Structure formats: C-alpha cells, structure tokens
Amino acid sequence: MVYTISDVAKRTGLSSYTLRYYDKKGLLPFVDRDENGRRKFKDHDFEFLQVINCLKNTGMSLKEIKQFIEWTQQGDCTLEERRDFFIEHRKDVEKQLAEVQSYLDTVDHKIDYYSRCVEAGTEDSVSCD
C-alpha cells in the first residue's frame, strides 16, 4: 500500500512539516517519489520512521540518525557498526532513565512528606527527612 505524507503524519503523529524536514536532512532516502515528485511511503517505511522517532526522542542528533540511516542503506557490511551504534546509544538512554528515576524519587519523597503533613494538619510537627 502507498501512503501520502498526510497519511503518514496522521498514522505516526509526526507533522507533515517534520517529515519534510527529515527528508530534507537526508533521513528518508528510502521513501520513493511519484512522477510529480510527491513522496510515496510504503508499509515498511513506518518501521524506519518509528526508529527515527525513537532515536530523536531519546536525544540523538539528526546527524547521528542520518549516519545510522546511511549504514542501513549500505546493507549487511555495516551490521557491526549498527550494533555498536545501538550499544552506545543504550548507555545514553540508561543515563537518562537514571536521571528520571532520581526525579521520581524526589517527587515520591515530597508526596510522602505532604501526606504526613496533611495527616498531622501542619508542617510544623513533620520531619523533612
């Protein structure tokens, strides 16, 4: 099946503008065009878009994502590079998770503190620790 850019935008939640921008930056070399130059997305393009979105949402630069896309276009001779790429990125994502877990711990601590305050009816008699 073939999808227009607006179909893809609806299906992925990415705006048409974002998809065009990604294409301009070289992240969508796998997308064909019709005789009028309009992008023609296919079912298997959604997998690439999902990976691009994942990498972008986990803080990867478009330049790094483009490198990954280029390796995929080169085929099996870049399997090791792609694996190593994801091993390194996993470290970044783990660091982000640890940071967010620290934030959650702080929020949980404040919930506990204010729950004790509400129960006591005041902050005066509740320890901060």
Side-chain angles (χ1 to χ4, degrees):
M1 181 153 186
V2 176
Y3 303 90
T4 65
I5 198 164
S6 61
D7 295 333
V8 173
K10 288 175 192 167
R11 186 166 162 183
T12 64
L14 297 169
S15 69
S16 296
Y17 172 82
T18 298
L19 292 164
R20 287 185 192 94
Y21 182 74
Y22 285 176
D23 193 24
K24 180 180 175 184
K25 291 296 186 180
L27 302 181
L28 307 178
F30 48 85
V31 175
D32 295 328
R33 292 188 181 254
D34 67 15
E35 60 279 351
N36 296 316
R38 290 182 294 245
R39 293 164 191 85
K40 298 186 325 182
F41 292 84
K42 295 175 285 320
D43 286 317
H44 67 272
D45 295 338
F46 287 98
E47 184 177 335
F48 271 111
L49 291 170
Q50 188 227 0
V51 172
I52 291 168
N53 199 36
C54 169
L55 295 174
K56 183 70 178 127
N57 287 336
T58 54
M60 186 172 287
S61 72
L62 294 182
K63 181 179 178 182
E64 293 170 304
I65 296 170
K66 183 178 180 190
Q67 178 61 71
F68 166 71
I69 297 295
E70 288 172 358
W71 283 331
T72 63
Q73 299 294 295
Q74 293 172 22
D76 289 347
C77 65
T78 63
L79 288 172
E80 190 173 339
E81 287 90 342
R82 287 182 268 163
R83 181 204 57 209
D84 294 347
F85 173 87
F86 277 99
I87 288 171
E88 286 304 309
H89 189 59
R90 187 178 202 286
K91 292 174 188 175
D92 294 337
V93 173
E94 286 174 334
K95 184 178 175 183
Q96 292 172 32
L97 281 171
E99 192 172 278
V100 170
Q101 183 61 54
S102 169
Y103 300 151
L104 181 59
D105 292 345
T106 299
V107 169
D108 286 343
H109 175 75
K110 288 300 187 182
I111 290 170
D112 177 60
Y113 171 76
Y114 287 112
S115 293
R116 289 183 285 131
C117 290
V118 167
E119 190 175 301
T122 181
E123 280 188 85
D124 294 339
S125 63
V126 177
S127 166
C128 290
D129 52 0

